Amino acid sequence: MGDRYDVVVVGGGAAGLAGALALARARRSVLVVDAGEPRNAPAGGVHNYLTREGTPPGELLAAGRAEVTGYGGQIVTGRVRTAARDDGGFSLTLADASVLRARRLLVTTGLVDELPEVPGLARRWGRDVLHCPYCHGWEVRDRRIGVLATGPTGVQQAQLWRQWSPHVLLLVHDAPPPNADELEELAAREITVVDGPVAELVVAGDTLTGVRLADGGVVDLDALVVAPRFTARAGLLADLGLAPVEVELGGHVFGTQIPADPSGATAAAGVWVAGNVADVRAQVISAAAAGLTAAAAINADLVAEETREAVRERRHRVATMFTEQAWEQRYTSRPAVWSGRPNPQLVAEASDLAPGRALDVGSGEGADAVWLARRGWRVTAVDISRTALQRAAAHADDAGVADRVDWVHADVREQPPVEASYDLVSAQFMHLPGEERDVLFARLAGAVAVGGTLLIVGHHPWDLRTSVHRMHLPEMMYTPQELATGLDPAVWDVRAEARPRTAVDPQGREITIHDAVLVARRRS
Ligand SMILES: Cc1cc2nc3c(=O)[nH]c(=O)nc-3n(C[C@H](O)[C@H](O)[C@H](O)COP(=O)(O)OP(=O)(O)OC[C@H]3O[C@@H](n4cnc5c(N)ncnc54)[C@H](O)[C@@H]3O)c2cc1C
């Protein structure tokens, strides 16, 4: 638990698990912390969840947990006590004092149903003390239903429940009595109004049988409907500056929720909410849907952040990759960077050339220069890295051609070669930003003597479409045709070709890549 997760989900009900599932499938590291008290725990089954009608709440959550962990999401039992901002993300402290870190938070802590204080009522909550006709109406259809009015909405609630049963009573309890219009409506729908406070519930065995009024009278009932106050479980969010707002119906406040945009994003950057904590009206299926929506928004937010970071890193890399220091670092990081074999296009093009004076630009560890020297060429090999040149010189010694190679430490961009001095100028895989490249290649062309050959080889841009996985630098790649445009046809005989070559990608697959090859002979 010491790592920083992409996302920590606080609350593992329908909203939290659906969010975690989508995030795990999006290959995000995600941890769900759940205190294990889903709101509908007392209910026998979840209704109106298409395809899972009547599934016990615990069973639905267990299936959801298995799906989340099946994709690598983690779930722990615990209670998050506090949340704080930390290093561009968040740090959460759990009740057991453990600390978690996350880049983003998805808070799906649900709500608390604050029940009217009537003796015996809380014990029967979710079984025969009910609030939601869509959750329980069918199960108590045609039964005797008492609606306990605790506010001005009691009358509407009674009207609603009348849809499920002809035996509905309005228990006025401590609510304002219905006005004349309401009394007429209730009478029209044959809903009996029972005055006076309810003193307690009457239970036989483990079954509600009615309510006892303060005056001692008993009303026989099979179910009691209440209107809890729905209070967002949002204490944690106060630490992050988020306060719940009141939710009203007909001027009556019946709950609180955390305000958020349609994706669940809150006013606190990096914090999303979903399910009942953000929407007191959410049912299980809509809480799950909101979790999914928030997860997608979180993933998009992380992708945007990662893209910004990648652009920053890339700019830095491109700005520093051609310095002497960068090349030194590259060579000193490994005993050998290159294979030690000459480049295949050099071998293909220079094997039949009569040896003369050769310029090897960016000679690296010297495989090309040594190969040329062995074939009788007098080679000037130029590189920006002293380490590479030392290795190259050692190879030339080993090959017995040290006297035919001049190793030159230089940045060819700053110290161009002498004009018209070489019978072969070879630049293998020199990739530079466009303008610098054009200037350098023009100078290399200028260094070719009459009758000599210019050989430029690079990674073809087609390789970007393959899985070869080089550094992704499209602006530094070139086609052979692009190279050829710089050469005057009156002066040069040009061959510009994309030559296929077999390579092995990082996954071990054999693939075809292409070298961009320019071979130009100077006529005059
Ligand atoms: C009795 C009853 C019956 C219902 N029946 C139905 C029905 O049939 N069909 C239907 O669609 N809806 C039903 N509902 C509504 C349903 O319960 C909610 O819509 C649903 O539970 C909302 O899901 P949620 O993920 O937002 O919250 P919850 O399911 O309440 O999950 C929140 C989770 O967060 C955890 N948590 C809270 N705070 C923390 C913390 N600080 N740290 C870690 N974990 C925390 C809780 O322990 C809980 O596990 C019923 C509700 C009740 C009360």
Side-chain angles (χ1 to χ4, degrees), residues 29 54 68 142 188 193 202 259 270-271 280 287 294 305 321 347 353 356 401 418 446 452:
S29 61
V68 170
D142 296 331
V193 177
V202 182
V271 182
V280 294
E305 179 181 272
M321 68 192 296
V347 173
L353 293 180
V401 294
V418 182

Side-chain angles (χ1 to χ4, degrees), residues 9-17 33-43 45-49 61 78-81 108-111 113 125-127 129-132 134-136 233 236 274-277 280-288:
V9 180
V10 186
L17 290 176
V33 186
D34 184 40
E37 293 162 359
R39 187 181 163 208
N40 56 350
V46 175
H47 300 287
N48 288 321
Y49 197 115
L61 291 178
R79 187 177 296 278
V80 178
R81 288 274 185 230
T108 55
T109 42
L111 61 76
D113 294 285
W125 170 238
R127 296 193 290 157
V129 171
L130 314 171
H131 73 298
C132 158
Y134 301 98
C135 310
H136 312 281
R233 252 201 222 110
L236 179 68
N276 275 160
V277 72
V280 294
R281 294 179 177 87
Q283 297 282 88
V284 177
I285 202 164
S286 47

Side-chain angles (χ1 to χ4, degrees), residues 259-395:
D261 79 3
S263 79
T266 66
V271 182
W272 273 256
V273 286
N276 275 160
V277 72
D279 175 7
V280 294
R281 294 179 177 87
Q283 297 282 88
V284 177
I285 202 164
S286 47
L292 165 62
T293 301
I298 291 171
N299 186 48
D301 192 51
L302 289 170
V303 166
E305 179 181 272
E306 286 152 8
T307 304
R308 285 192 298 274
E309 277 167 16
V311 167
R312 234 187 341 264
E313 270 171 32
R314 187 179 196 278
R315 282 182 187 163
H316 176 74
R317 201 173 61 208
V318 168
T320 55
M321 68 192 296
F322 301 111
T323 59
E324 181 173 352
Q325 194 192 9
W327 280 105
E328 271 306 307
Q329 252 170 21
R330 187 168 181 192
Y331 280 109
T332 51
S333 68
R334 280 191 268 168
V337 170
W338 309 113
S339 67
R341 292 188 298 277
N343 278 298
Q345 306 305 346
L346 175 71
V347 173
E349 291 303 325
S351 290
D352 294 335
L353 293 180
R357 294 154 301 165
L359 174 66
D360 180 11
V361 186
S363 53
E365 288 158 337
D368 285 1
V370 170
W371 181 83
L372 286 165
R374 278 179 140 158
R375 301 185 70 81
W377 290 81
R378 173 83 226 168
V379 186
T380 302
V382 185
D383 204 281
I384 198 170
S385 160
R386 288 184 193 279
T387 303
L389 287 166
Q390 279 158 14
R391 286 180 194 166
H395 291 163

Side-chain angles (χ1 to χ4, degrees), residues 193-212:
V193 177
V194 180
D195 291 325
V198 171
E200 63 174 353
L201 272 64
V202 182
V203 176
D206 192 22
T207 306
L208 177 79
T209 58
V211 291
R212 192 180 322 278

